[in-house]
Amino acid sequence: MSSEEMLYAQGAKIWVPHAELVWESATLEESYRKGAGFLKICTESGKLKEVKLKADGSDLPPLRNPAILVGQNDLTTLSYLHEPGVLHNLRVRFCERQIIYTYCGIILVAINPYAEMPLYGPSIIRAYRGHAMGDLEPHIFALAEEAYTKLERENCNLSIIVSGESGAGKTVSAKYAMRYFAAVGGSESETQVERKVLASSPIMEAFGNAKTTRNDNSSRFGKFTKLLFRNQMGVMFLQGATMHTYLLEKSRVVYQAQGERNYHIFYQLCAARSKYPELVLDHQDKFQFLSMGGAPEIERVSDAEQFNETVQAMTVLGFSIQQIADIVKILAGILHLGNITVSKKFNEGSEEEDTDSCDIFHNDIHLQITGDLLRVSAEDLRRWLLMRKIESVNEYVLIPNSIEAAQAARDALAKHIYAKLFQYIVGVLNKSLNNGSKQCSFIGVLDIYGFETFEVNSFEQFCINYANEKLQQQFNQHVFKLEQEEYLKEGITWTMIDFYDNQPCIDLIESRLGVLDLLDEECRMPKGSDESWAGKLIGKCSKFPHFEKPRFGSTSFFIKHFSDTVEYDVNGFLEKNRDTVSKELTQVLSESNMSLVKQVMTLEEIDTLSVDSAKSSTLGGRVVISAGRKQVVPSKQHRKTVGSQFQESLSSLISTLHATTPHYVRCIKPNDDKVAFKWETAKIIQQLRACGVLETVRISAAGFPSRWLYPDFYMRYQLLVYRSKLDKNDMKLSCRNIVIKWIQDEDKYRFGNTQIFFRAGQVAFLEQVRANLRKKYITIVQSVVRRFIYRRQFLRIQLVINGIQRHSRGFLARQRVQKMREARAGLILSKYARGWLCRRRYLRLRHSIFGIQTYARGMLARSKFHAMRDHYRAVQIQRFVRGALARRAYQKRRRNIIICQAAIRRFLARRKFKRMKAEAKTISHMENKYMGLENKIISMQQRIDELNRDNSNLKHKTSEISVLKMKLELKKTLEAEFKNVKAACQDKDKLIEALNKQLEAERDEKMQLLEENGHAQEEWLSQKQTWRQENEELRRQIDEIIDMAKNAEVSQRNQEDRMLAEIDNRELNEAYQRAIKDKEVIENENYMLKEELSRLTAGSFSLHGRKASNASSQNEDDVGYASGKNTLDINRPPDLLSKNYSYNDSTSLVVKLRAILEEEKQKHKNLQEQYIKLASRHKPTEDSFRPACCLAGRGP
């Protein structure tokens, strides 16, 4: 039986690919035979499948590791060293045992638990101090202790490389490593150095970390921290540190994707704005640079408390109070700079927009605040945001910026200021951390971004992935070197191990006519563009095997990285690589009156990492702050691009890492939901491939990954050979006999000086053989033990059965006698029971009959009572109905009699009326009627004259309305003047609050006036309706009088009397006509006065808008003064409507006319008083325009 057939026997555990789980466990249903074309398996979910195989068996599915090897601390100790085995081992440790650290050779794999773990206290540090790597559980402290011990023993430089994607926990791992070094390398007299090293973390996190969709505290820059140690009496003491940064993500200052934040320091400053009122800060949502992502808060994090920690850390690291104040002013200036509004500009003399230029208001509040905070000229800042200068040989030309260009210049300036400020802070940190003493050795901690791929990948992702390519190359070379050194130390023969070399991909990026070279060349072209650069890439780089051009379009390209193939979008590559900012704007900032701004703007970027590797002392930092001599600023043509600077920094970093002994920490992000101990297999396997863990596994598997010490191997596998071939005094020979017996292929193993080396799968084969032998021996032992147990059980059962039979027979006899006794006693009991039952049945039957009879008699009595009661009620109803019918007939007859009487009385009244009407037509009656009418008409004429004089006074008041209108126009001009000073009033917050309160009071007064005006209009309408009714009644009465006079003329007995009557009638008619005309004149004047009042009311509220309450009250049907609908109606008194006047009363008409004239005069007087009151109340004043001015001041 071959080894494959033995390993792939029925019941063996294997791994099969799965679409979602990546790998799924399965069990073999049938044993494998050489040449078989398929395997029958049963998956872990219970499904039966057939896996197709090649004839030679080269594609057999990977086997699962034995149970003893599951959950190992080191992945390289697994017998089957493959991808599913590594993944399963990590999942068991992380999910089932909640262990976040695992070794993979020289790599420490750290999985982010997204939960607080009690693993980093002082007691844990003391526990790992002095223990070798592997003695205790895997931990970041164990790796740090290994590095520190090597530093003490060999006095060499070391490095710890922490990598992983965003949210995997790189920053936390680097922080705990530095905490361990600060703890074990400190002393009682140098606690200040430890404090400074630990205090640098919150400062760098505040200025260099931000919230992303994957991580709430993501580092947006690379950082290499050197912890400097000196040897004192054989003990390494921490004496200082230096820090080097790489590729700060400056674009985050001006733009954040949805769900992300800007750098933490901005939100911390806004949360602590009450401490710095001079910064004129507001809530973070009010600033454009902070509100783009829409996620300003971080759960369970207080920005105000974080700001206090940042300021405290800056104080510990030597920042003065003035420096901190100037730094927060620069940060606030960046925020206000982002709120400067760039608006459209229109051509002079027209409303056409000028698309080639733009405008920024001189009184822009944020422009003024930015100038005040940065101590620069706001006018110069505005000028160079709106203009750009193009220089030639002997002259320069000013060209206006468009809106997009001005906004780009503003954003570029903000990014430039923040990047320079970041460099300054790093420089101050390095100066504080490095005391300048002679350096002995160092331990470098590299916290750098991991491999990134998104839907849209730009210049930042390109640089990050380029850095990971270089680090992966260094990692592969180092792992290969360690593997070969291990074989040489053990003295075994070996062949060259083939490993993945990503040098071709690196050549594609950094060689001549590579991606970076072509990018720099295109940046130097005057009219270079992203599209033309993409065309050059496709033309020049297609020869590289790791370069692919897109199928469609030419705005992207593909690079085959070691982890994955990434598509890069070329849009923005040139602009980000140039990283240009207006020279004039930087000059404006260089002329600032604030020393810190001037110092920040004159910083020079120098990569000191390569200098550190050649010198014994470290200057530290990426920036050198020189205040004593003037720095030479490179010209625009010779200025280094971002790509070239990053390439140089990366080369110096790799050189430094090659000169040190590296230790690797690979951080893994288990899920995107940030849920504690949640495992997403697809995401984790992609990270394991990207961070080099699986490459380490592959290199180990290509050699001899399984290694056993001779004593350990002897203790476990001694039962595989006979005792005659075992010698406890020579374990190496014993182990050789065991291996030679079961593994015939000598290439599958090697015997070293202290260990046995096995190829992948051989230890699992030995485990299978050991399990089979144990099963065979155990089966023999079990058979003998079972025979002894079963015989002893048989004898015991036989003895027990005999005793049970004896006792059961006696029990049955006693039971039979008991049944006979019970039968006899039952007969006696049944006799007495039957008698008792019969008596009880008879008594119950008799009691039931008595009850039925009782209820039956009661029911009959109740039914008879109900019948008698119903008969009585029917008689009463009939009595009342007959009475009602009789009364109804009586009422009907009585009504008929009354109607007859009324008809007779009406006939008699009509006959009497006709007789009285004939008497009223006589001359004597008319004379009595018109007696004294002439004198009364004269007095009425005098009163009408008085009304005319009053009306003329009203006309004089009407003329004053025009004067009021002129004053109103004057106030409108004052309103325009108030609008012109709108900008000057914006910064007067207290005055605005007072004006707002006054505005509310004026609004209340306005609403009160509108309500009074509405009530006045309603009273006027009601009065008008009353006048109309009275006028109509007066006309009707006059017409009746005229008709009566004409009828009287016909009945005159002679011509003289008729002529006299005609003369009298003409005089009366003329008097009445004059009275009617005068009344119509008064009505017209009153109507005009009403119109003037309504216009005055509308004019007094013109500043507040026309409302429904001050609209014209004239009806749509009023079309003229002479129409009946437009004439003022006079309400008829109730007695005039119901009473029939006697025609014999000659003075009734005059009395009525006089009363009407008196009433008209009184109403005219009331109307005049109302006009005077309304005119004085709504006279425009300066205070009446104040609310309008306030509203205008708040206008756009």
Side-chain angles (χ1 to χ4, degrees):
M1 180 183 294
S2 64
S3 60
E4 288 83 2
E5 292 177 345
M6 181 180 294
L7 293 174
Y8 287 90
Q10 183 179 3
K13 302 290 186 180
I14 62 173
W15 294 103
V16 293
H18 191 272
E20 296 179 359
L21 302 176
V22 184
W23 294 98
E24 184 181 18
S25 178
T27 306
L28 290 179
E29 294 293 313
E30 295 180 355
S31 298
Y32 168 71
R33 295 289 180 269
K34 276 193 174 182
F38 62 88
L39 280 178
K40 290 185 178 180
I41 64 171
C42 178
T43 63
E44 199 171 24
S45 59
K47 296 181 180 179
L48 296 175
K49 293 183 179 180
E50 289 187 356
V51 179
K52 294 183 179 180
L53 302 175
K54 293 181 180 180
D56 57 355
S58 59
D59 58 345
L60 283 170
L63 290 165
R64 287 188 59 172
N65 285 288
I68 188 175
L69 298 179
V70 175
Q72 287 293 305
N73 293 343
D74 194 341
L75 297 177
T76 57
T77 60
L78 297 176
S79 177
Y80 298 117
L81 203 56
H82 43 56
E83 182 179 294
V86 170
L87 195 65
H88 179 66
N89 194 77
L90 290 174
R91 188 184 65 80
V92 170
R93 290 178 60 82
F94 182 71
C95 297
E96 297 180 8
R97 304 180 185 178
Q98 294 190 351
I99 301 175
I100 64 175
Y101 293 111
T102 305
Y103 294 129
C104 182
I106 63 172
I107 300 175
L108 176 66
V109 180
I111 306 177
N112 192 345
Y114 289 114
E116 295 293 334
M117 303 289 289
L119 300 177
Y120 309 102
S123 59
I124 305 296
I125 295 177
R126 290 191 294 270
Y128 278 89
R129 183 70 180 104
H131 287 82
M133 192 171 175
D135 293 348
L136 301 176
E137 280 289 326
H139 200 285
I140 186 67
F141 291 165
L143 188 73
E145 173 62 23
E146 177 76 10
Y148 185 76
T149 303
K150 189 175 182 65
L151 177 70
E152 285 186 322
R153 183 174 60 249
E154 302 179 10
N155 197 19
C156 62
N157 297 329
L158 298 101
S159 60
I160 295 177
I161 302 173
V162 184
S163 64
E165 73 170 49
S166 179
K170 302 187 299 297
T171 303
V172 176
S173 298
K175 184 191 303 183
Y176 285 132
M178 289 191 292
R179 178 181 294 180
Y180 185 86
F181 291 133
V184 301
S187 64
E188 295 297 331
S189 61
E190 293 181 337
T191 55
Q192 186 65 21
V193 176
E194 304 166 33
R195 287 183 59 197
K196 288 183 178 181
V197 172
L198 297 178
S200 63
S201 296
I203 299 176
M204 298 307 296
E205 288 182 7
F207 286 89
N209 290 21
K211 176 186 177 182
T212 65
T213 55
R214 299 182 178 181
N215 186 9
D216 290 341
N217 190 30
S218 175
S219 298
R220 308 315 301 164
F221 67 103
K223 180 176 63 174
F224 184 64
T225 304
K226 284 185 177 180
L227 300 175
L228 310 177
F229 294 87
R230 75 173 185 273
N231 192 344
Q232 184 177 354
M233 304 298 292
V235 179
M236 288 293 179
F237 286 95
L238 180 67
Q239 73 171 12
T242 61
M243 191 179 302
H244 309 266
T245 59
Y246 306 92
L247 198 63
L248 176 68
E249 188 183 6
K250 295 188 289 185
S251 60
R252 181 168 293 273
V253 177
V254 299
Y255 174 77
Q256 306 93 43
Q258 189 65 29
E260 297 188 354
R261 293 204 327 172
N262 207 322
Y263 291 104
H264 294 326
I265 187 63
F266 290 114
Y267 301 91
Q268 294 175 8
L269 186 59
C270 289
R273 59 184 179 273
S274 59
K275 299 181 180 179
Y276 301 97
E278 67 275 7
L279 302 182
V280 198
L281 291 176
D282 203 343
H283 190 267
Q284 53 207 16
D285 293 339
K286 302 297 183 180
F287 293 101
Q288 183 179 350
F289 285 168
L290 304 184
S291 59
M292 295 181 181
E297 303 294 338
I298 299 179
E299 190 175 351
R300 297 188 300 274
V301 174
S302 172
D303 289 325
E305 295 177 0
Q306 294 292 325
F307 182 77
N308 294 333
E309 294 181 7
T310 303
V311 173
Q312 185 178 0
M314 294 176 74
T315 305
V316 171
L317 285 166
F319 286 86
S320 64
I321 297 177
Q322 184 60 39
Q323 282 180 312
I324 297 174
D326 291 343
I327 288 173
V328 298
K329 285 183 180 179
I330 294 175
L331 294 173
I334 293 174
L335 295 180
H336 286 291
L337 180 63
N339 276 18
I340 295 176
T341 303
V342 182
S343 59
K344 299 178 181 178
K345 186 176 182 180
F346 298 92
N347 295 326
E348 296 183 2
S350 65
E351 296 183 356
E352 183 181 357
E353 180 183 353
D354 186 1
T355 57
D356 296 333
S357 62
C358 59
D359 192 16
I360 298 176
F361 292 119
H362 290 275
N363 55 3
D364 191 301
I365 185 66
H366 294 286
L367 177 65
Q368 301 296 331
I369 294 175
T370 303
D372 294 340
L373 292 176
L374 300 181
R375 304 286 294 276
V376 298
S377 172
E379 188 61 32
D380 291 344
L381 186 62
R382 174 182 177 274
R383 178 189 179 190
W384 294 116
L385 285 175
L386 298 178
M387 306 290 289
R388 66 181 184 274
K389 182 167 67 174
I390 299 179
E391 298 182 0
S392 60
V393 179
N394 298 321
E395 61 181 5
Y396 63 88
V397 180
L398 296 179
I399 299 177
N401 288 331
S402 63
I403 294 180
E404 293 77 11
Q407 292 175 346
R410 178 197 64 190
D411 295 346
L413 181 61
K415 293 188 292 184
H416 183 72
I417 295 173
Y418 191 79
K420 290 292 185 180
L421 179 63
F422 186 78
Q423 292 179 11
Y424 171 78
I425 292 173
V426 172
V428 176
L429 289 179
N430 288 334
K431 184 177 179 181
S432 176
L433 292 173
N434 187 9
N435 55 13
S437 60
K438 185 177 179 180
Q439 172 189 347
C440 179
S441 301
F442 71 85
I443 298 178
V445 180
L446 177 63
D447 177 9
I448 198 164
Y449 14 67
F451 186 84
E452 288 187 354
T453 174
F454 301 106
E455 294 182 0
V456 178
N457 300 285
S458 187
F459 181 74
E460 292 84 2
Q461 283 72 42
F462 173 77
C463 293
I464 289 171
N465 295 339
Y466 167 49
N468 280 271
E469 286 284 354
K470 297 284 287 185
L471 292 173
Q472 183 66 22
Q473 184 187 45
Q474 188 271 342
F475 169 76
N476 290 343
Q477 294 174 355
H478 182 71
V479 171
F480 172 75
K481 179 181 176 182
L482 290 179
E483 194 76 11
Q484 308 306 326
E485 288 178 352
E486 181 72 15
Y487 296 158
L488 290 175
K489 185 178 71 173
E490 290 292 329
I492 65 175
T493 58
W494 54 278
T495 57
M496 182 65 66
I497 298 175
D498 182 25
F499 64 94
Y500 174 78
D501 186 9
N502 57 353
Q503 185 61 41
C505 183
I506 296 175
D507 292 339
L508 166 64
I509 296 174
E510 63 183 16
S511 66
R512 180 169 178 79
L513 297 182
V515 176
L516 287 177
D517 188 58
L518 292 175
L519 181 61
D520 291 343
E521 179 183 349
E522 190 68 20
C523 289
R524 290 191 291 269
M525 300 295 292
K527 295 184 179 181
S529 64
D530 296 326
E531 291 76 11
S532 61
W533 174 65
K536 291 181 181 179
L537 279 180
I538 295 174
K540 300 290 185 181
C541 298
S542 298
K543 60 183 179 181
F544 291 95
H546 288 264
F547 181 86
E548 286 186 4
K549 61 181 180 179
R551 287 187 176 182
F552 306 101
S554 60
T555 60
S556 63
F557 62 93
F558 293 86
I559 293 181
K560 298 178 181 179
H561 292 284
F562 72 94
S563 174
D564 196 4
T565 300
V566 182
E567 179 182 7
Y568 296 102
D569 190 353
V570 300
N571 293 324
F573 260 73
L574 263 68
E575 183 64 29
K576 293 177 181 178
N577 190 45
R578 291 192 185 108
D579 192 25
T580 56
V581 64
S582 174
K583 180 180 178 181
E584 290 73 24
L585 287 174
T586 57
Q587 184 64 29
V588 170
L589 293 176
S590 299
E591 297 173 356
S592 170
N593 295 326
M594 184 190 297
S595 60
L596 182 59
V597 174
K598 188 179 299 183
Q599 187 178 3
V600 164
M601 297 308 296
T602 56
L603 289 178
E604 179 184 1
E605 294 185 3
I606 297 178
D607 183 12
T608 59
L609 192 57
S610 58
V611 179
D612 289 344
S613 62
K615 292 183 178 181
S616 59
S617 61
T618 303
L619 298 177
R622 290 187 63 231
V623 295
V624 174
I625 304 172
S626 178
R629 61 186 180 90
K630 185 176 180 181
Q631 301 291 345
V632 179
V633 180
S635 64
K636 183 178 180 181
Q637 289 78 11
H638 300 285
R639 184 175 180 268
K640 290 184 179 180
T641 60
V642 174
S644 61
Q645 292 176 12
F646 184 70
Q647 183 179 0
E648 293 176 0
S649 300
L650 189 59
S651 298
S652 62
L653 173 64
I654 297 300
S655 300
T656 303
L657 295 179
H658 278 304
T660 63
T661 301
H663 297 74
Y664 298 94
V665 179
R666 295 296 189 249
C667 298
I668 305 297
K669 183 178 181 180
N671 59 81
D672 288 327
D673 301 328
K674 304 174 185 177
V675 178
F677 293 100
K678 180 182 178 182
W679 181 271
E680 292 181 0
T681 307
K683 182 171 185 62
I684 291 174
I685 198 66
Q686 190 272 337
Q687 296 177 72
L688 291 175
R689 293 167 182 167
C691 68
V693 173
L694 295 182
E695 183 65 17
T696 304
V697 169
R698 195 191 67 80
I699 293 176
S700 299
F704 298 92
S706 300
R707 302 162 191 182
W708 284 78
L709 295 173
Y710 286 113
D712 295 340
F713 187 82
Y714 174 82
M715 293 301 297
R716 183 159 184 83
Y717 298 107
Q718 59 180 335
L719 59 87
L720 297 184
V721 296
Y722 297 112
R723 289 185 177 272
S724 60
K725 294 187 177 182
L726 295 178
D727 186 2
K728 292 183 179 182
N729 297 323
D730 191 357
M731 290 188 179
K732 186 174 183 179
L733 179 61
S734 301
C735 294
R736 182 184 293 272
N737 295 333
I738 296 172
V739 174
I740 292 174
K741 178 180 180 180
W742 293 103
I743 303 177
Q744 285 74 27
D745 190 356
E746 294 183 357
D747 188 58
K748 299 294 184 181
Y749 58 88
R750 291 287 187 276
F751 294 101
N753 296 329
T754 60
Q755 302 179 71
I756 307 177
F757 292 80
F758 293 97
R759 295 282 187 187
Q762 299 309 306
V763 173
F765 171 71
L766 293 176
E767 282 290 327
Q768 185 68 31
V769 172
R770 179 176 178 273
N772 293 339
L773 287 176
R774 285 173 55 119
K775 183 178 180 181
K776 176 182 176 181
Y777 297 150
I778 290 171
T779 302
I780 296 174
V781 172
Q782 285 178 348
S783 63
V784 175
V785 172
R786 288 192 188 100
R787 177 182 176 277
F788 171 75
I789 293 174
Y790 288 144
R791 176 174 175 78
R792 187 172 62 179
Q793 287 179 352
F794 170 75
L795 295 176
R796 287 180 180 177
I797 291 172
Q798 187 179 28
L799 180 63
V800 171
I801 290 174
N802 291 333
I804 292 174
Q805 288 178 347
R806 181 175 68 251
H807 289 287
S808 61
R809 291 189 186 99
F811 172 75
L812 293 175
R814 287 189 295 274
Q815 193 176 26
R816 192 182 310 112
V817 172
Q818 182 68 21
K819 287 183 179 179
M820 293 173 62
R821 291 177 180 175
E822 291 176 355
R824 183 174 178 278
L827 292 175
I828 297 172
L829 290 175
S830 62
K831 177 180 66 174
Y832 288 103
R834 289 190 191 97
W836 178 77
L837 290 175
C838 290
R839 284 191 297 275
R840 189 177 65 171
R841 190 182 302 112
Y842 166 73
L843 293 175
R844 286 182 178 178
L845 180 62
R846 188 178 66 173
H847 181 269
S848 299
I849 291 172
F850 287 164
I852 292 171
Q853 290 177 350
T854 301
Y855 284 108
R857 293 189 185 98
M859 183 184 66
L860 292 175
R862 284 191 295 274
S863 61
K864 183 176 180 181
F865 168 74
H866 289 158
M868 293 174 63
R869 186 180 61 184
D870 292 341
H871 176 72
Y872 172 76
R873 289 178 177 175
V875 172
Q876 295 298 322
I877 291 171
Q878 290 177 357
R879 180 170 65 83
F880 285 111
V881 169
R882 292 189 185 98
L885 292 175
R887 284 190 295 274
R888 185 182 299 172
Y890 167 75
Q891 294 291 343
K892 183 176 181 181
R893 185 175 181 184
R894 181 185 176 195
R895 184 169 62 254
N896 292 337
I897 293 172
I898 292 172
I899 291 172
C900 292
Q901 291 177 351
I904 294 172
R905 292 190 183 98
R906 182 179 59 183
F907 171 74
L908 295 176
R910 284 180 178 176
R911 187 167 57 183
K912 183 178 181 181
F913 173 73
K914 290 179 181 180
R915 185 172 61 251
M916 292 174 67
K917 187 176 181 180
E919 292 177 356
K921 293 180 180 180
T922 59
I923 296 298
S924 59
H925 178 72
M926 293 297 295
E927 289 178 354
N928 293 330
K929 186 175 182 180
Y930 294 144
M931 186 179 299
L933 182 60
E934 183 176 359
N935 295 330
K936 295 179 181 180
I937 288 175
I938 293 172
S939 62
M940 184 180 63
Q941 182 64 34
Q942 293 176 355
R943 296 184 183 277
I944 291 174
D945 293 338
E946 293 178 359
L947 292 176
N948 290 334
R949 287 193 299 272
D950 295 338
N951 194 17
S952 64
N953 293 331
L954 289 176
K955 289 181 179 179
H956 178 68
K957 295 294 183 181
T958 305
S959 64
E960 293 180 357
I961 294 175
S962 60
V963 178
L964 294 175
K965 290 182 178 179
M966 293 175 63
K967 292 182 178 180
L968 182 61
E969 294 297 331
L970 179 60
K971 295 304 180 181
K972 289 182 178 180
T973 58
L974 291 176
E975 177 187 358
E977 293 178 0
F978 278 113
K979 289 182 179 179
N980 293 332
V981 296
K982 173 184 63 176
C985 296
Q986 290 182 351
D987 56 341
K988 307 298 183 179
D989 294 336
K990 294 183 180 180
L991 180 58
I992 288 175
E993 292 178 357
L995 291 176
N996 286 334
K997 293 180 180 179
Q998 186 175 359
L999 174 60
E1000 294 297 330
E1002 291 291 342
R1003 284 179 178 171
D1004 296 338
E1005 184 179 357
K1006 170 188 168 184
M1007 296 305 297
Q1008 184 177 0
L1009 292 176
L1010 289 176
E1011 291 176 357
E1012 292 178 0
N1013 187 24
H1015 293 319
Q1017 291 291 341
E1018 292 175 359
E1019 292 177 359
W1020 171 255
L1021 291 175
S1022 61
Q1023 189 66 32
K1024 176 182 175 182
Q1025 187 67 23
T1026 303
W1027 287 347
R1028 280 183 179 172
Q1029 294 176 359
E1030 291 178 357
N1031 189 22
E1032 290 178 357
E1033 181 63 24
L1034 182 59
R1035 285 191 173 187
R1036 189 184 62 78
Q1037 292 177 3
I1038 292 174
D1039 291 340
E1040 290 179 356
I1041 294 172
I1042 293 172
D1043 292 338
M1044 291 168 59
K1046 288 181 180 180
N1047 293 331
E1049 290 178 4
V1050 178
S1051 62
Q1052 293 298 327
R1053 287 179 295 182
N1054 51 51
Q1055 188 65 25
E1056 292 178 356
D1057 294 336
R1058 282 196 298 271
M1059 291 177 64
L1060 181 59
E1062 288 175 359
I1063 293 172
D1064 294 334
N1065 289 334
R1066 279 198 301 272
E1067 292 176 355
L1068 290 174
N1069 288 334
E1070 289 175 359
Y1072 284 128
Q1073 291 298 329
R1074 286 195 302 272
I1076 292 171
K1077 289 180 180 181
D1078 293 338
K1079 189 174 187 308
E1080 288 180 350
V1081 170
I1082 293 173
E1083 291 175 352
N1084 292 334
E1085 290 176 353
N1086 289 339
Y1087 180 78
M1088 293 175 62
L1089 184 59
K1090 169 185 164 295
E1091 292 292 327
E1092 288 295 327
L1093 283 173
S1094 63
R1095 285 195 296 271
L1096 178 60
T1097 306
S1100 63
F1101 294 102
S1102 61
L1103 292 176
H1104 310 292
R1106 187 175 181 86
K1107 305 295 182 180
S1109 60
N1110 59 14
S1112 176
S1113 60
Q1114 184 175 354
N1115 199 342
E1116 294 179 356
D1117 297 331
D1118 296 341
V1119 296
Y1121 294 116
S1123 65
K1125 292 183 179 180
N1126 196 34
T1127 306
L1128 295 175
D1129 297 326
I1130 303 173
N1131 291 330
R1132 181 183 299 176
D1135 56 343
L1136 295 177
L1137 297 175
S1138 60
K1139 183 178 178 180
N1140 292 325
Y1141 289 93
S1142 176
Y1143 291 100
N1144 295 325
D1145 189 359
S1146 60
T1147 61
S1148 60
L1149 182 61
V1150 178
V1151 173
K1152 291 179 183 179
L1153 185 59
R1154 181 178 179 183
I1156 291 171
L1157 290 175
E1158 290 292 333
E1159 187 175 327
E1160 281 290 324
K1161 181 177 179 181
Q1162 184 63 30
K1163 290 180 179 179
H1164 183 79
K1165 183 177 180 181
N1166 294 337
L1167 185 62
Q1168 184 178 6
E1169 292 176 357
Q1170 183 181 0
Y1171 165 78
I1172 294 171
K1173 181 179 178 181
L1174 188 60
S1176 61
R1177 177 180 298 174
H1178 300 292
K1179 183 177 181 181
T1181 63
E1182 182 179 353
D1183 293 335
S1184 64
F1185 290 91
R1186 196 166 296 167
C1189 293
C1190 293
L1191 291 175
R1194 292 187 176 187

